[in-house]
Amino acid sequence: REDLRARGHRFVTRSDTEVLVHAYEAFGEGFVRLLDGMFAFALWDAAEGRLILARDRVGKKPLFYAVADGAVIFSSELQSLILHPRVPRGVDPAAIDQYLSFGYIPAPGTVYRGVKKLEPAHYLVLKISDFGFRISDLRIERYWALRYAPKLRLAEAEALEQLEKLLREAVRKRLVSDVPLGAFLSGGIDSSAVVAFMTELAEGPVRTFTIGFEDQDFSELPYGRAVAARLGTDHNEWVVKPDAVAVLPTLVRHYGEPYGDSSAVPTYYVAQQARRAVTVALNGDGGDECFAGYERYLGHLVAERYRRLPAWARRAAERAVRLLPGRHEFGRWSQVTRYLPVASLPWRERYVRWTSAFTASAKAALYTDGFKARLGSTDAAAWLAPHFAAAEGLDLLDANLYLDTQSYLPYDLLVKMDIATMAN
């Protein structure tokens, strides 16, 4: 805003939306590269007959569109979009196949054949004349990509200092709010780090929220309570007995298309409880993709060493594990039994297997002959091919981090948090 004022722009509101309009006037469609935050917006340039749809870098906010019957229709929610009479509602079999593989439907697809998601870090431009438009007039541009190279050569102390500085600034920017603000606190490293900086920067005690369950194996209460006590937050916790069957119709209505992450249920409940006290909440999503928090990252590194063993040695190891007691699905050796055959696969195949709910053979057993005919020879993982190509040349850890920031983070985790919070 201040930069635009210095360029002679006059503002009549304090709205962030007005900043978008002036930035477009000053810098054209490329102004999207200057934005820092989460957003999905539509901008209409009446003088030029130009529509711009844009979505934030990592995909925190959703944006759906359809081009049908001479019109472009767009919305922040799939449910409202499909109510438009011009939007076709035929189900896409390939999307169902992707859903059963990954538990979500990746962009640009949706469950409806005629509806698209705008991908994160992309904007769409459509030029419309007095005579309408052609599909060739529609253009989609990527405006940002996360870079993993070249590496900075830093001493550990300097790296820690820079990390602390960046995290503090990231949190500080998100404390700008004109409504009550708090944080979801699981007691894990990611949310605890966010809350620690909030307590340092905020005026007054930070409101934190932790949800617990009667089953102690899944309850986060002890960890959230410990961090809250250490940081002196205004802590709120609830023990809920989630009724998945009762809440499913609500979740289905809000998601608008198939979604298979069971943590959608507790996430919805914690957002529902937090809404009683605050309107905005910070959380720690994305930390695992920044700092390699998932066990499968170590699994990939170990697998590369395992693959160097002679084939006969790997076969012998897999046979030996199958003879161990407790090798059944939930036995103590079950993870090793499932791990070893996949560990022998090349990295790309291994990544797909470890991020998939159903294998190709398991899906084939579920499908009717009619559905198989409609599906054809579609590969559910084909959408990952350009991301695998972009990861070429990165070391194995960075390649896995990159793939997750392009897939699991935007299409599972961020969707779940956006739906849970906006629904409440």
Side-chain angles (χ1 to χ4, degrees), residues 171-245:
V171 172
R172 184 194 64 76
K173 285 189 279 192
R174 283 155 183 84
L175 294 179
V176 178
S177 176
D178 53 7
V179 293
L181 186 147
F184 296 159
L185 178 60
S186 68
I189 294 173
D190 307 330
S191 63
S192 299
V194 170
V195 172
F197 286 113
M198 289 178 74
T199 58
E200 175 188 318
L201 297 166
E203 296 179 6
V206 173
R207 286 178 167 179
T208 52
F209 306 91
T210 304
I211 197 166
F213 302 98
E214 292 176 341
D215 186 338
Q216 292 302 306
D217 289 340
F218 296 97
S219 183
E220 298 175 335
L221 289 181
Y223 310 106
R225 191 179 300 148
V227 174
R230 173 69 178 265
L231 297 174
T233 70
D234 176 2
H235 191 54
N236 303 266
E237 54 184 44
W238 300 275
V239 175
V240 298
K241 188 175 182 180
D243 187 340
V245 174

Side-chain angles (χ1 to χ4, degrees), residues 55-61 104 106-107 118-122 142 144-149 151 284-294 296-297 300 347 351 355 383-384 386-388 390-391 394-415:
R55 195 167 170 212
D56 65 67
R57 286 168 169 77
V58 292
K60 291 184 179 183
K61 302 306 294 184
Y104 55 79
L118 187 63
E119 294 180 72
H122 285 69
R142 180 168 194 151
W144 179 83
L146 195 58
R147 291 187 297 125
Y148 290 82
K151 297 292 185 191
D285 279 352
D288 290 307
E289 288 77 11
C290 286
F291 300 108
Y294 300 129
R296 67 172 178 269
Y297 296 138
H300 278 291
W347 170 62
Y351 181 88
T355 54
W383 68 280
L384 286 169
H387 300 306
F388 281 127
L394 298 178
D395 68 41
L396 185 62
L397 180 57
D398 282 345
N400 280 291
L401 294 172
Y402 172 77
L403 261 293
D404 278 352
T405 61
Q406 303 302 309
S407 57
Y408 181 59
L409 179 64
Y411 305 136
D412 187 312
L413 299 182
L414 297 182
V415 169

